[in-house]
Amino acid sequence: MLHESHLAYFRKLLGDAFVLTGANDLEAYGRDWTRIHTPKPAAVVLPASTADVAALVKYCAAHQLAIVPSGGRTGLAAGAVAANGEIVLSLNRLNQIEDVDAVGMTMRVQAGVTTQQAQEAAKEVGLFFPLDLAAKGSCHIGGNIATNAGGVKFIRFGGMREQVLGLEVVLPSGEILDLNTGLRKNNTGYDLRQLFIGSEGTLGIVTKATIRLTPPPRNMQVSVMAVRKFADIPAILGVCNRAGVQLTAFEFFTREAHEIVLQHAMGARSPFAEISPYYVLLEVEEGPSGQQVMEPLLEQIFTEDLITDAVIAQSSAQAKELWGLRENITESIAKHGHVRKNDISLAINQLTDFIADLEPIVQSAPKDMQLVIFGHLGDGNLHINYVGPKSQDFAAFQARAREVELQVFALLGRYKGSISAEHGIGLLKTKDLHFSRSDAEIALMRQIKSLLDPKGLLNPGKIFPG
Ligand code: FAD
Ligand code: 2HG
Ligand code: ZN
């Protein structure tokens, strides 16, 4: 329970301006991109340094105050939601890029640096930071690490885990760990850094990271293809793989997703005269020589009768426009109706059977509920959005979508798929963890949690079923 004396300590440490208790601030900082739980934090604190974070965490541990670490609040699993009187600890002010090493190709950043800021700083020295997602303007590197974000370039560069060389973490005790200091090679016992990546703020607060940069991909070509049946999409991926091209993205979306984007995203237009059941967005790197790769690839895909139409971007503006058809799906759906989201993954060679088995579930879903499917197909990652009319009562919609979702998860369990490929468990999927993790795994995860956070004060209620 928060007392005036606690607020007085926070104000003394951070200054009055950086301890927020107004209703609007509590609401804004108490929620993420999900809008399912009612935000109810006790206060928001905005430290400016690792030392501030450590002091706050120590104080909260001594006074039994629960903390929710908070990044850009673009999360889609309610991991940053504070609905039970917690203190929201926002990393917004830890927003400095501390060092860019263009030779070693690394960058040291504070946790509150946005993904886009990191991308731009890499570009300034002629390098590339490969994590890329539509929320990049708002999400933080710290949030990307805590969620082990995937994004649209995973197929080539991997997710956030692959980009983290070093990590500074404040433990629930307030102790500061400096893990791996940015080394590329280091085999000295357990790699503790990996434990914190994807731990959704339940094991420690990330305050700094050394991230990996790469040489920039050259001459990216973007194409969108119209596809008549789902089974042809993995077949297209197979053609790309056999052709030995350097894929930087292999994304797909359905007709329903496409139509929603055309309806809601400003300036969006379809590159094709006719609407198709499925679309694939393909990005390849043609390399420094600029040798044409995309055209012969598409010819091969046409020859194998896997697509009905295709367009290749002729300029960077057109490439951006084509990417918009994929990247604007989430925002467009949010405008279109009530939403419940799944973020699942399967082995790529099982996707077609899974989609066929999903069909009866789609058909038996309530008539006013659409299942809009899209995602990072090249990674076996499907996003299923259950979308209903905004005129419906929100809670009633969620309950009905949950019934359908449980059927989807049961099916997914049969395929040994994951109920979260990239967004995490947060508060939203705690009851569903068992679909993807065994009892033994969950028990071990709980032991790790209580070893690091014996009082259960760091992001309580997240990941584990209550
Ligand atoms: P928050 O939402 O603020 O927090 C997420 C979790 O991390 C919470 O559990 C929080 O407690 C914890 N956390 C935050 N900062 C820290 C820290 N410094 N230390 C410890 N814990 C911390 N995700 C993908 O993986 N791929 C996508 O392609 C993708 N696209 C998206 C597109 C849109 C339009 C939107 C809205 C979201 C998308 N997301 C995607 C989800 C989201 O952007 C990512 O999960 C992102 O990594 C969250 O970062 P954040 O800073 O906003 O974190
Ligand atoms: C994406 O790939 C994000 O665009 C969001 O992971 C997915 O809105 C979603 O379900
Ligand atoms: Zn995604």
Side-chain angles (χ1 to χ4, degrees):
M1 178 81 172
L2 190 72
H3 297 301
E4 202 45 54
S5 60
H6 301 140
L7 288 172
Y9 171 81
F10 297 152
R11 290 189 179 115
K12 189 160 173 241
L13 180 73
L14 306 175
D16 289 358
F18 302 112
V19 180
L20 312 177
T21 52
N24 290 345
D25 289 326
L26 294 183
E27 179 168 350
Y29 281 90
R31 62 164 33 145
D32 63 4
W33 230 75
T34 58
R35 290 288 188 270
I36 293 181
H37 308 87
T38 308
K40 214 172 151 228
V44 180
V45 292
L46 293 124
S49 65
T50 303
D52 282 353
V53 175
L56 286 165
V57 172
K58 251 184 206 150
Y59 183 90
C60 288
H63 295 84
Q64 291 287 345
L65 299 172
I67 293 177
V68 175
S70 175
R73 304 191 307 280
T74 66
L76 296 173
V81 166
N84 287 304
E86 303 93 331
I87 311 290
V88 173
L89 190 154
S90 165
L91 280 300
N92 271 0
R93 291 171 73 211
L94 273 81
N95 57 6
Q96 298 302 308
I97 293 176
E98 294 190 344
D99 184 47
V100 185
D101 174 357
V103 176
M105 293 201 293
T106 64
M107 188 191 287
R108 192 170 65 244
V109 300
Q110 296 182 344
V113 163
T114 66
T115 313
Q116 188 170 342
Q117 251 179 292
Q119 288 176 350
E120 284 165 5
K123 201 170 175 191
E124 267 174 37
V125 297
L127 294 174
F128 186 68
F129 175 58
L131 188 83
D132 200 8
L133 61 172
K136 63 179 171 238
S138 309
C139 59
H140 292 180
I141 294 294
N144 297 155
I145 293 170
T147 57
N148 186 23
V152 291
K153 300 241 180 315
F154 186 100
I155 195 167
R156 166 83 183 276
F157 300 100
M160 196 58 197
R161 188 179 299 281
E162 283 73 30
Q163 320 310 327
V164 178
L165 291 173
L167 212 53
E168 183 188 79
V169 186
V170 176
L171 295 180
S173 61
E175 191 182 340
I176 302 167
L177 290 186
D178 188 4
L179 299 168
N180 199 48
T181 62
L183 298 175
R184 281 179 188 262
K185 299 182 88 173
N186 181 5
N187 276 355
T188 47
Y190 304 140
D191 186 353
L192 296 177
R193 158 186 58 151
Q194 304 301 345
L195 201 52
F196 295 93
I197 303 170
S199 68
E200 300 187 51
T202 61
L203 299 180
I205 300 182
V206 175
T207 44
K208 268 181 214 177
T210 302
I211 52 179
R212 186 194 298 271
L213 307 179
T214 73
R218 305 264 181 213
N219 302 321
M220 313 277 262
Q221 281 281 325
V222 181
S223 163
V224 171
M225 298 173 248
V227 183
R228 63 173 86 76
K229 59 182 198 297
F230 185 87
D232 290 340
I233 306 180
I236 295 170
L237 182 61
V239 175
C240 297
N241 293 342
R242 286 191 300 278
V245 296
Q246 189 62 271
L247 283 180
T248 49
F250 192 99
E251 299 284 310
F252 96 109
F253 45 96
T254 54
R255 167 202 186 119
E256 291 78 15
H258 189 46
E259 285 174 340
I260 290 174
V261 168
L262 296 180
Q263 198 178 332
H264 297 283
M266 215 176 12
R269 56 197 168 98
S270 182
F272 306 116
E274 285 181 20
I275 290 285
S276 193
Y278 299 98
Y279 298 90
V280 167
L281 183 148
L282 186 65
E283 190 181 70
V284 296
E285 183 190 354
E286 303 214 314
S289 67
Q291 189 198 351
Q292 271 293 322
V293 170
M294 188 65 100
E295 262 183 44
L297 183 64
L298 291 190
E299 267 165 35
Q300 181 64 30
I301 296 169
F302 261 120
T303 307
E304 298 198 18
D305 196 27
L306 297 171
I307 52 178
T308 52
D309 208 347
V311 55
I312 302 177
Q314 300 301 322
S315 64
S316 55
Q318 209 185 349
K320 204 168 162 210
E321 204 177 305
L322 293 182
W323 261 115
L325 297 174
R326 165 64 183 90
E327 297 238 90
N328 286 321
I329 296 174
T330 300
E331 299 234 17
S332 301
I333 287 179
K335 289 181 191 153
H336 193 72
H338 292 325
V339 191
R340 189 172 182 92
K341 288 177 185 295
N342 287 174
D343 155 43
I344 63 175
S345 66
L346 298 102
I348 293 174
N349 66 5
Q350 300 210 302
L351 287 170
T352 300
D353 287 348
F354 175 81
I355 289 288
D357 284 349
L358 188 67
E359 193 50 30
I361 300 178
V362 174
Q363 291 308 327
S364 64
K367 288 287 157 270
D368 58 355
M369 187 184 293
Q370 263 185 308
L371 270 68
V372 181
I373 309 180
F374 58 100
H376 318 285
L377 190 126
D379 315 322
N381 180 185
L382 307 178
H383 295 309
I384 304 178
N385 281 211
Y386 307 81
V387 186
K390 282 207 167 148
S391 54
Q392 216 171 76
D393 175 69
F394 182 67
F397 164 77
Q398 288 296 335
R400 291 164 74 221
R402 172 71 179 159
E403 283 175 23
V404 187
E405 169 182 273
L406 281 173
Q407 297 174 46
V408 174
F409 286 171
L411 174 63
L412 187 65
R414 297 215 306 268
Y415 279 87
K416 299 207 181 310
S418 168
I419 58 152
S420 179
E422 52 176 17
H423 299 159
I425 299 295
L427 266 186
L428 267 189
K429 290 169 233 159
T430 55
K431 289 199 182 82
D432 303 317
L433 192 58
H434 68 94
F435 283 107
S436 299
R437 297 289 189 194
S438 66
D439 289 348
E441 281 178 294
I442 296 173
L444 195 54
M445 287 196 243
R446 280 190 192 274
Q447 282 177 340
I448 294 169
K449 167 73 176 167
S450 55
L451 180 71
L452 289 173
D453 184 15
K455 295 180 178 171
L457 293 175
L458 198 58
N459 222 0
K462 312 292 162 56
I463 300 185
F464 301 106

